[in-house]
Amino acid sequence: MEVVTVTEKTQNSERYDVVVVGGGTAGLSAALTLGRARRRTLVVDAGEPRNAPAAHMQGYLSRDGMPPAEFLAAGRAEIAAYGVELVRDRAVGVAGERDGFTVELAGGRTVGARRLVVATGLKDELPAVDGVAERFGRDVLHCPFCHGWEVRDERFGVLASSPLSVHQALMVTGWSDDVTLFLHTVDEGELSDQDLRRLAAAGVKVVPGEVAGLVAEDDRITGVRLADGTVHERSVVFVAPRAVPRNGLLRELGAELTETPFGAYPVVDPTGLTSVPGVWAAGNAMGFTEQVVHAASGGYRAASAIVGDLIMSDVDAGLGD
């Protein structure tokens, strides 16, 4: 059931206890907790979940195999039951400070909030190889924990994008003993002796040469084609997308970020509180490895901390001088 509501109350008064930017797992989890805590909450959802290409999500206890779109629709119905409002829009600007934030939406609205949750996630930029983008989430995969069971014991290829792809090739051997690492644009000299020894010990075949594209028949991958025309039979290809965190709002607020091999993410405490008072991050907005189950937990933690922060702030304000 799809629930998207903008109530008359929202139209007449644009101030909320909390604005959650991002309507994926982390944002909806935070919103659910905030709604149950009787906090007036608005979720701003641009409708761009990272796992949209996947037919099913895996590894989430009690929801293993559930389609991501169905999972999010259930979450939207749940938050609506607690009076949380959701608007399909994009946050394009943010300003202010604790107890006085403003969020500008692409649709023209400007809403106020005492606290913010940034759950904007990240975008995966795929290698520019023919067939990769078209088959991503089907038989072009990135995470063995997400999809390894479904393709177990098939013929794996790993498309290298950097020397870090050695780690990916080693990891996927847990699901198949037939793994080939295609170096693509990585020079074999960039791999350390330890890398080469580990690959050999794990039984991973290393193939140098640039990959030109994937070969498919009957809507299934059958091989990897090199630039020299050679085709290596494979049925599944793992890639390492370039992670592009959607951290524009955090940068605009002046949040401290730390650079990682997978992009820049905010420095946060255990609840997701950033260096900006009153601003929390959750899900892939705070880290590359936040899977759906982690994102749900992160949203809950952030919201719980916000509820406590708001209560204590109000109590302290009532003390006067």
Side-chain angles (χ1 to χ4, degrees):
M1 176 181 178
E2 181 80 8
V3 179
V4 178
T5 60
V6 180
T7 66
E8 182 178 353
K9 182 179 179 182
T10 306
Q11 295 167 345
N12 292 337
S13 175
E14 298 293 292
R15 180 154 176 86
Y16 296 85
D17 289 320
V18 186
V19 169
V20 179
V21 184
T25 302
L28 293 177
S29 177
L32 179 62
T33 303
L34 291 164
R36 287 176 52 80
R38 308 174 71 184
R39 291 295 167 177
R40 188 166 185 235
T41 302
L42 174 69
V43 177
V44 180
D45 181 21
E48 298 175 346
R50 183 187 179 196
N51 62 356
H56 305 92
M57 64 179 205
Q58 317 293 160
Y60 194 121
L61 189 64
S62 83
R63 296 296 180 266
D64 187 62
M66 190 175 190
E70 184 179 330
F71 178 78
L72 294 178
R76 295 184 195 111
E78 288 177 356
I79 68 171
Y82 294 100
V84 174
E85 300 168 36
L86 185 147
V87 61
R88 185 73 78 199
D89 209 333
R90 184 183 303 277
V92 294
V94 63
E97 58 186 18
R98 187 173 183 266
D99 284 320
F101 294 107
T102 58
V103 181
E104 180 185 353
L105 307 185
R109 295 172 62 193
T110 297
V111 296
R114 298 180 64 189
R115 303 291 186 272
L116 294 176
V117 177
V118 178
T120 45
L122 60 82
K123 179 181 178 181
D124 290 311
E125 287 190 352
L126 297 167
V129 171
D130 185 39
V132 166
E134 294 83 350
R135 308 201 65 81
F136 187 57
R138 298 160 67 191
D139 42 15
V140 174
L141 309 170
H142 76 290
C143 172
F145 292 101
C146 302
H147 307 288
W149 173 265
E150 285 67 38
V151 296
R152 63 194 182 278
D153 298 325
E154 295 197 34
R155 297 168 298 177
F156 289 180
V158 177
L159 179 63
S161 54
S162 79
L164 293 175
S165 296
V166 170
H167 177 74
Q168 186 178 37
L170 294 172
M171 286 297 297
V172 301
T173 61
W175 287 264
S176 174
D177 58 8
D178 186 354
V179 179
T180 298
L181 174 62
F182 296 93
L183 293 183
H184 189 38
T185 56
V186 176
D187 190 278
E188 193 168 3
E190 296 179 61
L191 306 186
S192 69
D193 289 341
Q194 185 180 43
D195 287 337
L196 294 172
R197 290 198 304 270
R198 282 177 167 172
L199 290 167
V204 176
K205 182 180 179 182
V206 178
V207 174
E210 186 173 353
V211 173
L214 306 181
V215 179
E217 295 180 8
D218 298 325
D219 202 31
R220 284 299 311 266
I221 289 176
T222 58
V224 173
R225 185 179 70 255
L226 301 186
D228 65 7
T230 305
V231 175
H232 295 260
E233 292 187 357
R234 298 288 92 187
S235 55
V236 174
V237 174
F238 283 88
V239 299
R242 176 175 173 266
V244 182
R246 294 188 174 106
N247 56 25
L249 297 180
L250 292 169
R251 290 184 183 276
E252 197 168 345
L253 288 164
E256 181 183 356
L257 303 178
T258 183
E259 292 289 343
T260 78
F262 308 103
Y265 298 92
V267 176
V268 296
D269 77 356
T271 71
L273 177 63
T274 71
S275 62
V276 180
V279 179
W280 275 256
N284 282 133
M286 61 174 271
F288 172 73
T289 59
E290 298 297 293
Q291 306 285 8
V292 176
V293 67
H294 303 130
S297 175
Y300 189 103
R301 285 196 306 270
S304 299
I306 289 170
V307 171
D309 186 40
L310 287 170
I311 290 173
M312 295 308 297
S313 179
D314 291 341
V315 169
D316 288 346
L319 294 177
D321 295 332

